[in-house]
């Protein structure tokens, strides 16, 4: 009879002990889930105010949510009496293995995060990077997509993109067109400069601030070379480039100013 009382007491003690732990675990889960929800909502508002890209906000919110949930689960296991030291070690080992396997992808992810945070360029801007020139079409977590000058799609990994040089042609809103034209040594320098400047000032897409310039750049072997520098809006670059090149040839011909070209001299020996 005493043994039965002892066994019943132990079962009651165990039941109370585990019952309290289970109830505590349930409360921790409910309260922890509520706190995680509030933290994720608050972090979303902070990222909105900071101007983070929507794709980065979504990814970071999911990442923070999973990390907090894993910590909550570990806390629950500890509350139930499950040793969490070995469990944490397993998670750390698994994380290391996954990190090594996805080293390149993680580098691209980190590069994408840096691009979205520091914003060296935005969608719709013209940039030059990794030997490519194009308009930014889309910034993703792992890659950035450009639309090339011939309407081709260019995909650049964010890891290499964030670690290399980036030239953003759209930041200032204007761009200088660098052109060089050569005329013969018989040409009058002042007249030539006037003709070239008239070509620039008469073009509707050449802006006057900053002012276009025409200067003697080089006394070459067979020509006097002029540096012609008009400014324009970024989107008008190629229009100005091609129009000024064509109009310069027409204007120089009309003014009787010779554009030198290579000559070949043949020498015949008499037998």
């Amino acid at each position: 009879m005493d043994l039965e009382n002892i066994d019943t007491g132990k079962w009651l003690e165990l039941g109370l002990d585990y019952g309290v732990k289970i109830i505590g675990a349930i409360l921790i889960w409910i309260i922890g889930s509520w706190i995680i929800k509030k933290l994720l909502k608050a972090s979303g508002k902070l990222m909105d105010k900071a101007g983070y890209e929507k794709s980065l906000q979504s990814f970071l919110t999911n990442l923070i949510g999973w990390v907090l949930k894993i910590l909550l689960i570990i806390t629950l296991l500890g509350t139930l009496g499950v040793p969490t030291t070995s469990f944490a070690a397993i998670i750390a080992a698994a994380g290391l293995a996954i990190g090594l396997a996805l080293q390149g992808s993680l580098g691209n992810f980190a590069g994408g995060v840096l691009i979205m945070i520091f914003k060296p360029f935005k969608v719709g801007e013209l940039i030059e990077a990794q030997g490519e020139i194009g308009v930014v079409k889309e910034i993703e977590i792992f890659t950035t997509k450009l639309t090339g000058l011939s309407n081709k799609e260019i995909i650049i990994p964010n890891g290499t993109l964030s670690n290399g040089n980036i030239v953003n042609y759209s930041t200032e809103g204007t761009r200088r067109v660098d052109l060089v034209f050569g005329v013969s040594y018989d040409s009058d320098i002042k007249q030539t400069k006037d003709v070239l400047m008239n070509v620039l000032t008469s073009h509707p897409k050449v802006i006057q601030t900053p002012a276009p310039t025409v200067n003697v750049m080089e006394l070459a072997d067979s020509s006097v070379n002029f540096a012609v520098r008009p400014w324009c809006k970024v989107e008008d670059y190629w229009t100005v480039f091609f129009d000024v090149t064509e109009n310069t040839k027409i204007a120089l011909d009309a003014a009787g100013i010779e554009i030198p070209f290579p000559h070949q001299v043949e020498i015949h020996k008499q037998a």
Side-chain angles (χ1 to χ4, degrees):
M1 193 70 177
D2 293 336
L3 290 174
E4 290 180 2
N5 291 333
I6 292 172
D7 290 339
T8 303
K10 283 184 177 180
W11 281 112
L12 287 172
E13 184 180 349
L14 288 173
L16 289 172
D17 185 28
Y18 277 101
V20 171
K21 288 181 179 179
I22 291 172
I23 293 172
I26 293 173
L27 290 174
I28 290 174
W29 176 260
I30 294 172
I31 296 172
S33 298
W34 179 81
I35 293 174
I36 289 173
K37 185 178 179 180
K38 292 295 182 181
L39 288 174
L40 292 179
K41 189 175 180 180
S43 63
K45 289 182 178 179
L46 288 174
M47 286 187 282
D48 269 336
K49 289 182 179 179
Y52 286 13
E53 298 287 339
K54 292 297 181 183
S55 55
L56 177 59
Q57 288 187 34
S58 176
F59 185 86
L60 289 179
T61 300
N62 289 332
L63 181 62
I64 294 170
W66 278 109
V67 170
L68 292 176
K69 286 177 182 178
I70 290 173
L71 293 175
L72 179 59
I73 291 172
I74 293 175
T75 303
L76 288 177
L77 293 174
T79 303
L80 294 172
V82 178
T84 57
T85 306
S86 57
F87 186 72
I90 292 172
I91 293 178
L96 178 61
I98 294 172
L100 291 174
L102 301 176
Q103 187 174 6
S105 296
L106 290 176
N108 290 330
F109 162 71
V113 172
L114 291 174
I115 289 171
M116 292 179 180
I117 290 175
F118 295 105
K119 297 180 180 178
F121 52 81
K122 295 182 292 186
V123 172
E125 293 185 338
L126 177 66
I127 68 168
E128 179 178 356
Q130 300 298 313
E132 302 286 353
I133 299 178
V135 176
V136 180
K137 176 183 178 183
E138 189 175 356
I139 304 172
E140 299 179 337
I141 289 295
F142 296 103
T143 61
T144 293
K145 295 180 180 179
L146 309 179
T147 300
L149 300 178
S150 57
N151 205 35
K152 60 184 179 181
E153 184 177 69
I154 303 167
I155 301 175
I156 304 177
N158 286 334
T160 55
L161 182 59
S162 63
N163 289 324
N165 295 331
I166 299 173
V167 180
N168 191 330
Y169 293 108
S170 300
T171 303
E172 301 300 326
T174 58
R175 188 176 175 188
R176 191 180 73 182
V177 184
D178 293 346
L179 297 167
V180 178
F181 298 106
V183 300
S184 68
Y185 273 91
D186 295 333
S187 303
D188 181 85
I189 289 180
K190 186 179 183 308
Q191 180 192 13
T192 303
K193 291 180 69 174
D194 290 341
V195 170
L196 294 174
M197 182 58 74
N198 184 61
V199 170
L200 301 184
T201 55
S202 62
H203 196 288
K205 293 188 180 297
V206 173
I207 62 178
Q208 301 306 311
T209 304
T213 60
V214 176
N215 296 290
V216 175
M217 184 181 75
E218 179 187 17
L219 302 177
D221 292 338
S222 58
S223 64
V224 179
N225 293 335
F226 289 81
V228 178
R229 303 290 185 258
W231 289 80
C232 64
K233 294 181 180 179
V234 174
E235 60 269 24
D236 296 331
Y237 178 86
W238 289 110
T239 299
V240 172
F241 181 95
F242 292 123
D243 284 357
V244 169
T245 300
E246 178 180 340
N247 294 342
T248 294
K249 174 64 167 63
I250 295 172
L252 291 176
D253 288 347
I257 299 173
E258 181 185 357
I259 300 176
F261 55 89
H263 291 77
Q264 187 175 16
V265 178
E266 294 183 2
I267 301 176
H268 298 277
K269 290 186 177 180
Q270 292 183 348

